[in-house]
Structures are given as structure tokens and as C-alpha cells.
Amino acid sequence: MATTEETRVKIPGQETIVGILNEKTKCDKRLVLITHGAPGHKNYYFLPILAQKLSYSSFRFDFRGSGESDGEPKYNNMNDNTHDIYTVSNYFKEKGYTVFAIIGHSRGKN
């Protein structure tokens, strides 16, 4: 079974996005993004447990205006949420990962 190493990551951009990379050792570079609901955050309820239980590396992050990420809190701002997912995906693509799944809760599923 792969072990997990957790690393706090700050992704620069229009506003800094902060998240936790759960990197599975002895796994390929496929990555699952885990997104939270409103008014949640990256460590909300079951998200850390989900990251530990997955067979693949994952990155759970705070949307802008939530948790540790920069920005003003906004409710139901789909453009910003979409841009955040795009920014995170591109960041990890540049690091050699392939984002092959997104698991979203509530706001994050949209």
C-alpha cells in the first residue's frame, strides 16, 4: 500500500490559492483534485479523510476567499471557482502531474 506525504502548497496567481498535496509514494503522477462546498474549506468535514483513503495523489484546496486562500468571500461565483480549478490544474501540469479526476462537494461539484 502506498504511503501518503502531506505538503502545504501555495499557488501564485491573481490571488494565492492554498491547499494540501497528499502525495502517494510509489504511485504514478495522476492527481485527483478535491473541491469543497460553500462555505467550506479544504479541511472541511470528510475531505482530509477522503484524501488519505484515495489510491492516488490528491490536492484539496481553498477556493479564493475561503480558508487560507487570498480574496474576498463570495457565494456562488462560478467564474472564480472555474478559474481556480484551471489555475490549480495548470500548476500541477507544469509539475509533471496529470489531473484525471475532480471530486467536488456542493459548490465544488458545480
Side-chain angles (χ1 to χ4, degrees), residues 13-93:
Q14 184 178 8
E15 294 167 308
T16 301
I17 297 171
V18 180
I20 303 294
L21 175 63
N22 284 77
E23 193 160 28
K24 305 292 179 169
T25 58
K26 299 184 179 155
C27 279
D28 60 19
K29 297 290 266 187
R30 287 188 280 181
L31 186 70
V32 177
L33 299 183
I34 301 173
T35 59
H36 63 80
H41 52 80
K42 67 184 171 304
N43 293 319
Y44 181 73
Y45 194 47
F46 63 88
L47 300 181
I49 295 167
L50 174 62
Q52 289 291 325
K53 299 285 185 185
L54 289 173
S55 298
Y56 298 98
S57 296
S58 65
F59 184 71
R60 63 185 195 277
F61 65 95
D62 294 322
F63 285 116
R64 284 183 275 169
S66 300
E68 293 184 273
S69 292
D70 292 344
E72 294 296 317
K74 296 177 187 173
Y75 181 74
N76 202 19
N77 190 335
M78 298 310 294
N79 287 335
D80 284 353
N81 295 346
T82 302
H83 188 265
D84 290 350
I85 292 169
Y86 178 79
T87 299
V88 168
S89 296
N90 280 340
Y91 175 85
F92 282 103
K93 181 179 179 181

Side-chain angles (χ1 to χ4, degrees), residues 3-19:
T3 58
T4 301
E5 181 180 322
E6 279 196 356
T7 306
R8 185 173 176 269
V9 177
K10 294 174 86 172
I11 300 173
Q14 184 178 8
E15 294 167 308
T16 301
I17 297 171
V18 180

